[in-house]
Amino acid sequence: MKYVKLLLIALLTLSSCSNDDNATPNLKNDFKQITSFIFRAADNDALDENVKGVIDETKKTIVVVVQPDVDITALKPWTTISVKATISPENDQAMDFSDEVEYTVTAEDGSKQKYVVIVTVLEPVTERDALLALYNANPDNELGWDLNEQDISKWEGITVEENSVTQISLDSKGIINIPKTISAFRNLDTLILRENGIKRVPASLGGLTKLKFLDLERNEINELPDALIGLKDNLEYLHIGSNKFTALPQVVTRLTNLKNLLVWVNPLTELSPGIGNLENLEQLRLDLTRLSKVPKEIGKLKNLKALFLDDNTIKELPREILELSNLEFLSLDGNDLEAIPDLVFDIKWLKGLNVEENLLTALPTEIEELSNLEVLRLRDNKLSTLPKEIGQLKKLNILEIQENELTSLPDEMEDLESLDLLYIRRDQLSLLPEKVIAIVEKNGGEIVLTDD
């Protein structure tokens, strides 16, 4: 009997343990994001088209820009949120957005996240009035416009198509201030304000949602407003070179349709890892900044074709650069390099390499690995000779070797069958194999002699 009782107790204990093991807690998720915020025309009589808000997940803000004639006192947004979360106010509730409106997202587990929605109404002015505002905001301008002329297409630098301004190009015109009425140009696709004295870019510039080309080179700008995220859908070209940026503005790393980004001649000490967000970039210019290294996130720029890192202090490249399968041109001019980084010779698809104005004393035999090179620039180094392997560059069109210390040239240069432009010092012309001269002439090219 004692044995039976002990056996029964053991079985009950095992059963209890088994039940505890199977009683896994019912975990609830803590996801609580607003993933999209839209004023749909179908839900709002005040709108002719859908208006999408720009979400800043870092600041937990949502910025929406609407046209001047929109009544924002009773707008009904449509939001999408995390799975199993709820939002307050709800989607079917019209709100007055004259002031900031707070939305709260509650996760399945009960935790909460607040977002602030800011709706900006563009200025209700005509395009002519907006141009007059630009003129008047800069009393010392050199625009030379005849303000009595009603046809603004006759004003210098203004292009009008189908009764709407599509391009504004005002180089060196004494433009110091950009008034907020700049947002009036609803169909503007090109804005060029090079070499003025601009110090501040207004948030209203973010209302130029059709802008494709923005050139602010050679001004005195040191920051860009977050509202420029409004340019995200169409902006492809951004030039902010020769300004006073000490860091790449965060908003730039969110302009994901950019194909050309020029940031040269700015006192950047480092490049934000956010650069990896710009996966559509084809050209990136970082010449004459203060960079000493390139972040590994550069490897995310799968469409990059040209990378300019001239006149910095870069000695090494991250291994991730080998992931740039479309890279055609790499420029490391003026970095005081004593040797070309080894990784360069693994970018076998390169078509152009510029290592001018460095401290190279030798060109490695690995140069033959770059068999797709069409352009090789070696000007102003300390080369005394070239390796015979240079003759393997069968596709080479342009070779610059002036301003070196060359005392001989390899006979294998005769194998550069595609060469049609050669730069060399006049007093070194006698070093050239005669067949090289014949090849250039056969290709209808030119040998450019320098006297350095």
Side-chain angles (χ1 to χ4, degrees):
M1 180 63 70
K2 183 177 181 182
Y3 173 78
V4 172
K5 287 181 179 179
L6 289 173
L7 181 60
L8 181 59
I9 292 171
L11 288 172
L12 288 173
T13 303
L14 287 172
S15 176
S16 175
C17 292
S18 176
N19 288 337
D20 287 345
D21 288 343
N22 291 331
T24 55
N26 184 20
L27 297 178
K28 296 182 179 181
N29 75 59
D30 62 352
F31 305 145
K32 45 186 179 292
Q33 280 187 303
I34 294 179
T35 54
S36 71
F37 187 97
I38 304 172
F39 291 126
R40 301 189 302 188
D43 299 331
N44 296 278
D45 294 336
L47 297 174
D48 296 325
E49 59 184 4
N50 294 345
V51 181
K52 185 178 181 181
V54 176
I55 302 172
D56 188 325
E57 195 56 45
T58 301
K59 297 181 178 180
K60 305 302 179 186
T61 59
I62 302 172
V63 177
V64 190
V65 179
V66 298
Q67 297 301 330
D69 53 351
V70 174
D71 178 7
I72 64 172
T73 60
L75 287 177
K76 187 185 296 184
W78 179 264
T79 61
T80 55
I81 57 178
S82 300
V83 175
K84 296 186 178 181
T86 59
I87 189 168
S88 178
E90 297 179 350
N91 274 334
D92 60 354
Q93 189 170 344
M95 302 294 295
D96 183 353
F97 288 92
S98 299
D99 293 317
E100 297 179 355
V101 177
E102 188 174 272
Y103 279 77
T104 301
V105 182
T106 303
E108 184 187 20
D109 68 355
S111 59
K112 300 179 184 296
Q113 178 61 62
K114 293 180 180 180
Y115 287 80
V116 174
V117 179
I118 305 164
V119 176
T120 301
V121 182
L122 298 179
E123 289 292 316
V125 296
T126 66
E127 292 185 334
R128 190 176 192 281
D129 288 340
L131 289 175
L132 288 174
L134 179 65
Y135 186 97
N136 292 327
N138 298 280
D140 297 324
N141 72 71
E142 299 178 13
L143 292 169
W145 293 344
D146 179 2
L147 302 186
N148 294 317
E149 173 59 65
Q150 295 300 309
D151 185 358
I152 59 176
S153 67
K154 295 182 179 179
W155 291 3
E156 182 185 358
I158 307 301
T159 300
V160 176
E161 297 177 10
E162 298 181 358
N163 298 316
S164 188
V165 175
T166 57
Q167 296 186 22
I168 297 176
S169 181
L170 303 172
D171 290 3
S172 306
K173 295 297 182 182
I175 304 296
I176 306 296
N177 301 303
I178 305 175
K180 61 182 180 180
T181 50
I182 191 72
S183 60
F185 303 104
R186 298 186 186 183
N187 294 306
L188 195 71
D189 61 43
T190 300
L191 178 59
I192 301 173
L193 295 171
R194 277 193 301 257
E195 203 166 352
N196 286 285
I198 300 168
K199 294 183 179 180
R200 177 180 171 274
V201 175
S204 56
L205 197 145
L208 304 178
T209 56
K210 294 187 179 180
L211 203 63
K212 295 181 180 179
F213 188 105
L214 177 58
D215 190 340
L216 298 170
E217 182 195 6
R218 299 182 188 178
N219 282 287
E220 299 178 22
I221 306 165
N222 61 16
E223 63 180 356
L224 293 175
D226 290 343
L228 290 196
I229 191 62
L231 310 181
K232 178 180 178 180
D233 289 344
N234 289 301
L235 194 67
E236 296 181 355
Y237 182 102
L238 177 61
H239 195 340
I240 53 174
S242 294
N243 277 284
K244 295 185 177 181
F245 294 101
T246 56
L248 188 65
Q250 182 184 16
V251 68
V252 173
T253 66
R254 299 173 63 203
L255 300 175
T256 50
N257 279 313
L258 280 178
K259 293 183 178 179
N260 296 276
L261 176 58
L262 293 79
V263 197
W264 59 19
V265 199
N266 275 288
L268 303 182
T269 55
E270 62 180 1
L271 187 60
S272 165
I275 192 68
N277 298 333
L278 306 181
E279 295 184 1
N280 288 304
L281 269 191
E282 296 179 2
Q283 177 186 203
L284 177 58
R285 298 209 63 152
L286 296 164
D287 330 20
L288 281 163
T289 57
R290 298 178 183 174
L291 296 178
S292 59
K293 63 179 182 179
V294 180
K296 65 180 182 180
E297 287 78 7
I298 199 81
K300 296 180 180 180
L301 308 183
K302 305 301 184 183
N303 291 299
L304 197 65
K305 295 180 179 179
L307 176 59
F308 294 81
L309 299 168
D310 305 348
D311 296 292
N312 288 291
T313 56
I314 295 171
K315 306 299 182 187
E316 297 181 356
L317 296 171
R319 186 151 195 87
E320 287 76 6
I321 202 168
L322 299 180
E323 297 173 17
L324 302 181
S325 57
N326 286 299
L327 190 65
E328 296 181 353
F329 187 82
L330 174 62
S331 188
L332 293 165
D333 182 352
N335 277 279
D336 292 335
L337 293 172
E338 296 182 0
I340 299 173
D342 292 340
L343 277 176
V344 171
F345 302 108
D346 291 328
I347 313 174
K348 302 182 187 302
W349 49 92
L350 267 186
K351 293 183 178 180
L353 175 62
N354 180 7
V355 286
E356 294 179 347
E357 297 186 38
N358 281 291
L359 303 173
L360 306 179
T361 57
L363 184 65
T365 59
E366 287 84 355
I367 192 66
E368 67 179 348
E369 299 295 327
L370 302 181
S371 58
N372 288 297
L373 274 189
E374 297 176 5
V375 177
L376 178 57
R377 295 195 166 105
L378 301 168
R379 177 183 62 84
D380 198 2
N381 278 284
K382 298 181 179 298
L383 301 173
S384 59
T385 187
L386 299 177
K388 65 180 182 179
E389 285 78 8
I390 197 169
Q392 299 299 314
L393 306 181
K394 306 296 184 181
K395 297 180 181 180
L396 198 64
N397 299 136
I398 300 173
L399 176 60
E400 299 188 19
I401 54 176
Q402 73 274 36
E403 298 183 51
N404 276 287
E405 301 170 4
L406 296 169
T407 57
S408 64
L409 291 172
D411 291 337
E412 285 77 7
M413 283 184 64
E414 297 175 353
D415 298 327
L416 299 177
E417 57 194 39
S418 298
L419 193 64
D420 60 15
L421 185 57
L422 173 64
Y423 289 81
I424 190 170
R425 275 173 36 181
R426 187 180 302 275
D427 61 359
Q428 293 173 332
L429 181 61
S430 58
L431 301 176
L432 270 181
E434 291 185 4
K435 287 186 178 180
V436 175
I437 299 173
I439 287 172
V440 175
E441 291 178 348
K442 178 183 176 182
N443 291 332
E446 180 182 7
I447 296 177
V448 179
L449 304 177
T450 64
D451 295 302
D452 41 79

PDB file of all heavy atoms in Angstrom, residues 114-129:
ATOM      1  N   LYS A 114       3.241  58.523 -28.754  1.00  0.00           N
ATOM      2  CA  LYS A 114       2.565  59.721 -29.242  1.00  0.00           C
ATOM      3  C   LYS A 114       3.274  60.288 -30.467  1.00  0.00           C
ATOM      4  O   LYS A 114       4.501  60.272 -30.543  1.00  0.00           O
ATOM      5  CB  LYS A 114       2.504  60.786 -28.145  1.00  0.00           C
ATOM      6  CG  LYS A 114       1.613  60.387 -26.976  1.00  0.00           C
ATOM      7  CD  LYS A 114       1.573  61.474 -25.914  1.00  0.00           C
ATOM      8  CE  LYS A 114       0.664  61.055 -24.755  1.00  0.00           C
ATOM      9  NZ  LYS A 114       0.606  62.106 -23.709  1.00  0.00           N
ATOM     10  N   TYR A 115       2.502  60.771 -31.430  1.00  0.00           N
ATOM     11  CA  TYR A 115       3.003  61.463 -32.613  1.00  0.00           C
ATOM     12  C   TYR A 115       2.347  62.837 -32.690  1.00  0.00           C
ATOM     13  O   TYR A 115       1.171  62.989 -32.340  1.00  0.00           O
ATOM     14  CB  TYR A 115       2.662  60.696 -33.890  1.00  0.00           C
ATOM     15  CG  TYR A 115       3.451  59.437 -34.111  1.00  0.00           C
ATOM     16  CD1 TYR A 115       3.113  58.259 -33.456  1.00  0.00           C
ATOM     17  CD2 TYR A 115       4.529  59.414 -34.999  1.00  0.00           C
ATOM     18  CE1 TYR A 115       3.822  57.088 -33.661  1.00  0.00           C
ATOM     19  CE2 TYR A 115       5.247  58.253 -35.220  1.00  0.00           C
ATOM     20  CZ  TYR A 115       4.892  57.089 -34.543  1.00  0.00           C
ATOM     21  OH  TYR A 115       5.601  55.942 -34.766  1.00  0.00           O
ATOM     22  N   VAL A 116       3.099  63.817 -33.176  1.00  0.00           N
ATOM     23  CA  VAL A 116       2.550  65.164 -33.367  1.00  0.00           C
ATOM     24  C   VAL A 116       2.436  65.437 -34.868  1.00  0.00           C
ATOM     25  O   VAL A 116       3.409  65.286 -35.607  1.00  0.00           O
ATOM     26  CB  VAL A 116       3.444  66.232 -32.707  1.00  0.00           C
ATOM     27  CG1 VAL A 116       2.942  67.631 -33.044  1.00  0.00           C
ATOM     28  CG2 VAL A 116       3.470  66.032 -31.196  1.00  0.00           C
ATOM     29  N   VAL A 117       1.235  65.826 -35.304  1.00  0.00           N
ATOM     30  CA  VAL A 117       0.980  66.124 -36.711  1.00  0.00           C
ATOM     31  C   VAL A 117       0.976  67.632 -36.912  1.00  0.00           C
ATOM     32  O   VAL A 117       0.265  68.363 -36.200  1.00  0.00           O
ATOM     33  CB  VAL A 117      -0.366  65.533 -37.170  1.00  0.00           C
ATOM     34  CG1 VAL A 117      -0.629  65.884 -38.631  1.00  0.00           C
ATOM     35  CG2 VAL A 117      -0.363  64.010 -36.981  1.00  0.00           C
ATOM     36  N   ILE A 118       1.784  68.089 -37.864  1.00  0.00           N
ATOM     37  CA  ILE A 118       1.904  69.516 -38.162  1.00  0.00           C
ATOM     38  C   ILE A 118       1.493  69.735 -39.610  1.00  0.00           C
ATOM     39  O   ILE A 118       2.116  69.194 -40.533  1.00  0.00           O
ATOM     40  CB  ILE A 118       3.354  70.001 -37.958  1.00  0.00           C
ATOM     41  CG1 ILE A 118       3.833  69.659 -36.548  1.00  0.00           C
ATOM     42  CG2 ILE A 118       3.469  71.493 -38.230  1.00  0.00           C
ATOM     43  CD1 ILE A 118       5.337  69.743 -36.372  1.00  0.00           C
ATOM     44  N   VAL A 119       0.452  70.513 -39.826  1.00  0.00           N
ATOM     45  CA  VAL A 119      -0.027  70.806 -41.178  1.00  0.00           C
ATOM     46  C   VAL A 119       0.350  72.242 -41.531  1.00  0.00           C
ATOM     47  O   VAL A 119       0.010  73.183 -40.809  1.00  0.00           O
ATOM     48  CB  VAL A 119      -1.547  70.613 -41.292  1.00  0.00           C
ATOM     49  CG1 VAL A 119      -2.032  71.020 -42.686  1.00  0.00           C
ATOM     50  CG2 VAL A 119      -1.915  69.158 -41.011  1.00  0.00           C
ATOM     51  N   THR A 120       1.085  72.398 -42.642  1.00  0.00           N
ATOM     52  CA  THR A 120       1.520  73.713 -43.112  1.00  0.00           C
ATOM     53  C   THR A 120       0.751  74.086 -44.376  1.00  0.00           C
ATOM     54  O   THR A 120       0.684  73.287 -45.312  1.00  0.00           O
ATOM     55  CB  THR A 120       3.027  73.716 -43.418  1.00  0.00           C
ATOM     56  OG1 THR A 120       3.737  73.357 -42.234  1.00  0.00           O
ATOM     57  CG2 THR A 120       3.489  75.080 -43.892  1.00  0.00           C
ATOM     58  N   VAL A 121       0.199  75.288 -44.378  1.00  0.00           N
ATOM     59  CA  VAL A 121      -0.541  75.781 -45.546  1.00  0.00           C
ATOM     60  C   VAL A 121       0.367  76.714 -46.340  1.00  0.00           C
ATOM     61  O   VAL A 121       0.943  77.662 -45.790  1.00  0.00           O
ATOM     62  CB  VAL A 121      -1.819  76.529 -45.121  1.00  0.00           C
ATOM     63  CG1 VAL A 121      -2.595  77.003 -46.348  1.00  0.00           C
ATOM     64  CG2 VAL A 121      -2.690  75.635 -44.257  1.00  0.00           C
ATOM     65  N   LEU A 122       0.515  76.441 -47.617  1.00  0.00           N
ATOM     66  CA  LEU A 122       1.364  77.276 -48.465  1.00  0.00           C
ATOM     67  C   LEU A 122       0.777  78.677 -48.619  1.00  0.00           C
ATOM     68  O   LEU A 122      -0.436  78.871 -48.498  1.00  0.00           O
ATOM     69  CB  LEU A 122       1.535  76.625 -49.841  1.00  0.00           C
ATOM     70  CG  LEU A 122       2.208  75.253 -49.850  1.00  0.00           C
ATOM     71  CD1 LEU A 122       2.290  74.715 -51.272  1.00  0.00           C
ATOM     72  CD2 LEU A 122       3.589  75.323 -49.235  1.00  0.00           C
ATOM     73  N   GLU A 123       1.654  79.624 -48.899  1.00  0.00           N
ATOM     74  CA  GLU A 123       1.234  81.017 -49.033  1.00  0.00           C
ATOM     75  C   GLU A 123       0.352  81.219 -50.269  1.00  0.00           C
ATOM     76  O   GLU A 123       0.697  80.757 -51.365  1.00  0.00           O
ATOM     77  CB  GLU A 123       2.464  81.929 -49.149  1.00  0.00           C
ATOM     78  CG  GLU A 123       3.239  82.073 -47.861  1.00  0.00           C
ATOM     79  CD  GLU A 123       2.466  82.833 -46.809  1.00  0.00           C
ATOM     80  OE1 GLU A 123       1.861  83.866 -47.156  1.00  0.00           O
ATOM     81  OE2 GLU A 123       2.452  82.396 -45.650  1.00  0.00           O
ATOM     82  N   PRO A 124      -0.784  81.928 -50.146  1.00  0.00           N
ATOM     83  CA  PRO A 124      -1.682  82.159 -51.285  1.00  0.00           C
ATOM     84  C   PRO A 124      -1.255  83.352 -52.132  1.00  0.00           C
ATOM     85  O   PRO A 124      -1.843  84.433 -52.039  1.00  0.00           O
ATOM     86  CB  PRO A 124      -3.030  82.420 -50.592  1.00  0.00           C
ATOM     87  CG  PRO A 124      -2.642  83.070 -49.302  1.00  0.00           C
ATOM     88  CD  PRO A 124      -1.338  82.440 -48.893  1.00  0.00           C
ATOM     89  N   VAL A 125      -0.222  83.147 -52.930  1.00  0.00           N
ATOM     90  CA  VAL A 125       0.260  84.233 -53.797  1.00  0.00           C
ATOM     91  C   VAL A 125       0.418  83.721 -55.217  1.00  0.00           C
ATOM     92  O   VAL A 125       0.586  82.528 -55.452  1.00  0.00           O
ATOM     93  CB  VAL A 125       1.624  84.775 -53.302  1.00  0.00           C
ATOM     94  CG1 VAL A 125       1.492  85.406 -51.931  1.00  0.00           C
ATOM     95  CG2 VAL A 125       2.664  83.667 -53.264  1.00  0.00           C
ATOM     96  N   THR A 126       0.345  84.645 -56.190  1.00  0.00           N
ATOM     97  CA  THR A 126       0.600  84.275 -57.577  1.00  0.00           C
ATOM     98  C   THR A 126       2.097  84.110 -57.767  1.00  0.00           C
ATOM     99  O   THR A 126       2.897  84.577 -56.948  1.00  0.00           O
ATOM    100  CB  THR A 126       0.084  85.358 -58.531  1.00  0.00           C
ATOM    101  OG1 THR A 126       0.865  86.557 -58.337  1.00  0.00           O
ATOM    102  CG2 THR A 126      -1.394  85.659 -58.281  1.00  0.00           C
ATOM    103  N   GLU A 127       2.483  83.471 -58.871  1.00  0.00           N
ATOM    104  CA  GLU A 127       3.909  83.285 -59.145  1.00  0.00           C
ATOM    105  C   GLU A 127       4.599  84.625 -59.391  1.00  0.00           C
ATOM    106  O   GLU A 127       5.752  84.811 -58.993  1.00  0.00           O
ATOM    107  CB  GLU A 127       4.082  82.343 -60.331  1.00  0.00           C
ATOM    108  CG  GLU A 127       3.655  80.925 -59.999  1.00  0.00           C
ATOM    109  CD  GLU A 127       3.936  79.942 -61.110  1.00  0.00           C
ATOM    110  OE1 GLU A 127       3.992  80.360 -62.299  1.00  0.00           O
ATOM    111  OE2 GLU A 127       4.123  78.751 -60.815  1.00  0.00           O
ATOM    112  N   ARG A 128       3.887  85.554 -60.010  1.00  0.00           N
ATOM    113  CA  ARG A 128       4.488  86.880 -60.224  1.00  0.00           C
ATOM    114  C   ARG A 128       4.726  87.565 -58.886  1.00  0.00           C
ATOM    115  O   ARG A 128       5.780  88.172 -58.652  1.00  0.00           O
ATOM    116  CB  ARG A 128       3.585  87.740 -61.110  1.00  0.00           C
ATOM    117  CG  ARG A 128       4.240  89.040 -61.567  1.00  0.00           C
ATOM    118  CD  ARG A 128       3.349  89.807 -62.528  1.00  0.00           C
ATOM    119  NE  ARG A 128       4.081  90.892 -63.169  1.00  0.00           N
ATOM    120  CZ  ARG A 128       4.339  92.064 -62.586  1.00  0.00           C
ATOM    121  NH1 ARG A 128       3.915  92.295 -61.359  1.00  0.00           N
ATOM    122  NH2 ARG A 128       5.017  92.994 -63.239  1.00  0.00           N
ATOM    123  N   ASP A 129       3.744  87.457 -57.977  1.00  0.00           N
ATOM    124  CA  ASP A 129       3.911  88.043 -56.648  1.00  0.00           C
ATOM    125  C   ASP A 129       5.079  87.397 -55.902  1.00  0.00           C
ATOM    126  O   ASP A 129       5.805  88.063 -55.164  1.00  0.00           O
ATOM    127  CB  ASP A 129       2.627  87.876 -55.833  1.00  0.00           C
ATOM    128  CG  ASP A 129       1.508  88.794 -56.314  1.00  0.00           C
ATOM    129  OD1 ASP A 129       1.819  89.794 -56.989  1.00  0.00           O
ATOM    130  OD2 ASP A 129       0.339  88.500 -56.016  1.00  0.00           O
TER     131      ASP A 129
END
